[in-house]
Amino acid sequence: MTPAQIEAVKQSWTGMLPLQDKAASMFYGKLLELDLALQVLLKDEMVQHGGKLISMIANAVNALDRLETLVPALQSTGVRYAAYGVRDADYAAVRAALLWTLQTGLGDAFTTHVEDAWTEAYGVIAMTMQHAAREAATS
């Protein structure tokens, strides 16, 4: 990711902070709309998942410019999610739900530049998690 992309992600995330509770429910609503089969993976209450989601995104956003600290956490999460039954194909629905939530929450501030930056950030995050899950499955 470029410094400009990292800054765009960080700035836009700041714009989402006032909507944290609403953003989490929007995200999960959209995710289940995109793929109802994922409901099986969401065994806990949505409120609990919502808090975890916001915390995980905030941690990732804050560490985008320090990937050496972010990668181990992502790898661990990827392995854990695979054990829960998350498949590579599920990451596309998550990306779509995330981008939709950001677009809805940010409105006009969700520019093409911001969308491209979030797409790049999510790609790095998802690939790191997926790779770790595959590695764990083969070892």
Side-chain angles (χ1 to χ4, degrees):
M1 291 189 69
T2 68
Q5 288 173 319
I6 292 170
E7 185 60 26
V9 168
K10 288 184 176 207
Q11 287 292 327
S12 58
W13 181 247
T14 301
M16 289 296 291
L17 291 179
L19 306 172
Q20 287 181 58
D21 294 335
K22 184 178 179 182
S25 64
M26 289 167 47
F27 170 83
Y28 282 113
K30 187 64 170 180
L31 182 62
L32 294 177
E33 178 185 312
L34 293 168
D35 190 347
L36 190 57
L38 293 175
Q39 187 170 14
V40 173
L41 300 177
L42 303 173
K43 297 173 185 164
D44 299 331
E45 307 244 349
M46 283 296 178
V47 173
Q48 182 181 356
H49 277 288
K52 288 179 183 178
L53 171 72
I54 297 301
S55 177
M56 185 169 45
I57 293 172
N59 289 338
V61 167
N62 290 329
L64 279 177
D65 51 359
R66 293 174 281 113
L67 287 179
E68 69 279 359
T69 64
L70 180 58
V71 167
L74 293 174
Q75 291 169 328
S76 171
T77 301
V79 171
R80 191 171 63 252
Y81 281 11
Y84 296 152
V86 174
R87 302 166 296 132
D88 280 354
D90 298 331
Y91 284 85
V94 171
R95 181 188 67 241
L98 175 63
L99 292 175
W100 178 86
T101 302
L102 291 164
Q103 179 180 27
T104 302
L106 294 170
D108 291 340
F110 190 72
T111 63
T112 301
H113 175 66
V114 171
E115 180 179 9
D116 290 347
W118 273 98
T119 299
E120 182 69 21
Y122 182 79
V124 169
I125 291 166
M127 284 190 295
T128 302
M129 291 171 65
Q130 290 169 314
H131 181 74
R134 284 192 291 274
E135 287 290 315
T138 61
S139 58

